[in-house]
Amino acid sequence: MPDVRASLRAQRIETPSWAYANSGTRFKVFAQPGVPRDPYEKIADAAVVHRFTGVAPTVSLHIPWDDVDDFGKLAAFAAEQGVTLGVINSNTFQDDDYKLGSVTHPDPRVRRKATDHLLACVDVMDATGSTDLKLWFPDGTNYPGQDDIRSRQDRLAAALQKVYDRLGAHQRMLLEYKLFEPAFYTTDVPDWGTAYAHTLELGRKAQVVIDTGHHAPGTNIEFIVAFLLRQGKLGAFDFNSRFYADDDLMAGAADPFQLFRIMYEIVRGGALDPASGITFMLDQCHNIEAKIPAIIRSVTNIQEATAKALLVDPDALAAAQQEGDVLAANAVFMDAFSTDVRPLLASIREEQGLDPDPHGAYRRSGYAEKIQAERVGGVQAGWGA
Ligand code: RM4
Ligand code: MN
């Protein structure tokens, strides 16, 4: 039996800077009062999430959304707040030049521009001390015949190789896949198989990111987790929830059972420990709900799914599996999933000197009122800012 309490205490969940900023759908971005105006205020909010949960000590940045003149200064500010800067995310999806793609664009000038941006992201990592570069490309086509599918793979491989060669000894590249959107006919990295093949070709410092919202409905994500872990090619998660497509809702909100099954494969693969090198990030946005409490909820949802996964009795499961007792094996799983783990997590928080109820503690802290009163004027951060 794993040491459930120790594993839960050691768990780490990274929160994304953009989740603290304004966001919306392609129809409308809804502004909320108190939203950060710059990367410093986003980090301050992330630090609050860490203060109440105790398991979110790193913040993922998005370049250029979080561009600053001095990343060393930003890293120092983060440290003052009690957090550190985590994964650096590239952005090649918000420039007119990228209409037909970024690193796979037919025009070598655009490809060079996109690749230069990725290289600049590695410079940022050098300045912040971040070890992970996360790559998600909007690249693809909308119409059959629009561009050559094979040539686009060649262009992708060439760009990835250039960036891979620039990585330092302790840095790595995380390649994310997404089924569709913004491209609707072909996507250049549409699935884990494509991401896996490219990272395999590149080498040890390239791994795959699973964004839970980036699959076709019905996809068995836990199988992908098990497979990539076994191959040593799972680098990170982007957690969020979906009902239909890339909905980016709070992790664990739409399908807590799926999150439990994913976390079980993580526990089974010995990958929960931060030393395993898997980065567990959120990648979501909060369009209609308050942001900080939604992020706290997402963190506690992941903790609950993890606690349940840790409660799966490995001996009872192995025995039932060995005997071919399908119902008994399934019951072991369902018993763990049906356990109310909230008291366990509350007692672990108390043991760590935290409030057992991070949701109530945040509400009572007055932080929401404080930022609404203080963050007046200026331009709120959001997509494109
Ligand atoms: C993409 C992808 C990336 C994220 C951006 C904001 O769909 O999920 O991980 O950085 O959105
Ligand atoms: Mn993502």
Side-chain angles (χ1 to χ4, degrees), residues 14 25 74 81-82 84 89 98-100 153 167 175 188 253 257 343 374 377:
E14 180 159 321
T25 65
L74 191 67
Q81 297 285 311
T84 51
N89 293 257
Y98 299 140
K99 187 166 82 174
L100 301 180
Q153 286 298 308
L167 293 173
L175 183 58
D188 295 316
F257 186 42
E374 284 176 7

Side-chain angles (χ1 to χ4, degrees), residues 240-312:
N240 49 54
S241 283
R242 70 193 289 274
F243 288 102
Y244 300 103
D246 190 21
D247 305 349
D248 278 338
L249 301 173
M250 295 186 292
D255 190 348
F257 186 42
Q258 180 188 60
L259 187 56
F260 159 76
R261 298 188 317 257
I262 290 172
M263 293 316 296
Y264 171 75
E265 289 307 326
I266 290 293
V267 170
R268 165 70 182 84
L272 190 57
D273 195 299
S276 72
I278 315 287
T279 305
F280 297 90
M281 277 174 288
L282 300 176
D283 177 16
Q284 37 184 58
C285 47
H286 309 288
N287 304 340
I288 59 167
E289 69 275 30
K291 293 160 197 303
I292 297 173
I295 296 165
I296 294 176
R297 173 63 65 193
S298 308
V299 169
T300 60
N301 282 350
I302 295 174
Q303 286 185 296
E304 286 171 24
T306 308
K308 292 176 184 204
L310 286 161
L311 290 178
V312 173

Side-chain angles (χ1 to χ4, degrees), residues 89-376:
N89 293 257
S90 59
N91 180 330
T92 56
F93 49 88
Q94 287 187 311
D95 194 299
D96 283 338
D97 270 340
Y98 299 140
K99 187 166 82 174
L100 301 180
S102 65
V103 291
T104 67
H105 196 286
D107 182 346
R109 181 191 65 81
V110 178
R111 295 206 293 276
R112 201 167 321 115
K113 172 173 168 169
T115 309
D116 284 347
H117 167 67
L118 306 184
L119 295 170
C121 287
V122 184
D123 294 339
V124 172
M125 291 161 67
D126 289 341
T128 57
S130 303
T131 54
D132 292 349
L133 172 67
K134 196 174 94 201
L135 305 176
W136 173 73
F137 299 111
D139 298 41
T141 65
N142 274 4
Y143 294 99
Q146 181 190 319
D147 196 7
D148 187 61
I149 295 174
R150 281 187 63 147
S151 302
R152 292 179 77 96
Q153 286 298 308
D154 294 340
R155 297 169 198 151
L156 171 68
L160 291 176
Q161 188 67 58
K162 232 181 163 160
V163 180
Y164 187 87
D165 292 342
R166 161 70 180 84
L167 293 173
H170 301 295
Q171 294 173 336
R172 59 180 184 162
M173 169 193 282
L174 304 170
L175 183 58
E176 182 171 352
Y177 58 90
K178 180 176 175 178
L179 179 61
F180 80 103
E181 196 199 26
F184 294 113
Y185 168 54
T186 58
T187 293
D188 295 316
V189 191
D191 52 25
W192 71 266
T194 310
Y196 173 71
H198 279 283
T199 58
L200 197 63
E201 212 171 278
L202 288 164
R204 185 182 61 75
K205 290 192 281 182
Q207 289 180 306
V208 179
V209 185
I210 298 179
D211 182 313
T212 50
H214 288 188
H215 306 86
T219 300
N220 183 329
I221 299 176
E222 58 271 28
F223 174 82
I224 303 170
V225 174
F227 183 89
L228 290 177
L229 264 182
R230 184 171 174 276
Q231 301 293 328
K233 277 295 186 190
L234 179 58
F237 279 96
D238 270 3
F239 284 117
N240 49 54
S241 283
R242 70 193 289 274
F243 288 102
Y244 300 103
D246 190 21
D247 305 349
D248 278 338
L249 301 173
M250 295 186 292
D255 190 348
F257 186 42
Q258 180 188 60
L259 187 56
F260 159 76
R261 298 188 317 257
I262 290 172
M263 293 316 296
Y264 171 75
E265 289 307 326
I266 290 293
V267 170
R268 165 70 182 84
L272 190 57
D273 195 299
S276 72
I278 315 287
T279 305
F280 297 90
M281 277 174 288
L282 300 176
D283 177 16
Q284 37 184 58
C285 47
H286 309 288
N287 304 340
I288 59 167
E289 69 275 30
K291 293 160 197 303
I292 297 173
I295 296 165
I296 294 176
R297 173 63 65 193
S298 308
V299 169
T300 60
N301 282 350
I302 295 174
Q303 286 185 296
E304 286 171 24
T306 308
K308 292 176 184 204
L310 286 161
L311 290 178
V312 173
D313 181 338
D315 300 331
L317 185 63
Q321 289 174 343
Q322 201 52 47
E323 284 160 23
D325 192 338
V326 176
L327 290 177
N330 179 242
V332 172
F333 252 62
M334 297 315 293
D335 282 348
F337 179 65
S338 304
T339 309
D340 184 358
V341 293
R342 290 171 299 180
L344 167 68
L345 286 162
S347 93
I348 292 172
R349 289 188 193 109
E350 270 186 320
E351 198 177 88
Q352 290 177 296
L354 297 168
D355 191 297
D357 169 21
H359 307 286
Y362 174 73
R363 249 193 332 268
R364 288 187 299 272
S365 72
Y367 187 77
E369 293 75 15
K370 178 176 165 315
I371 54 177
Q372 284 178 26
E374 284 176 7
R375 294 177 184 168
V376 177

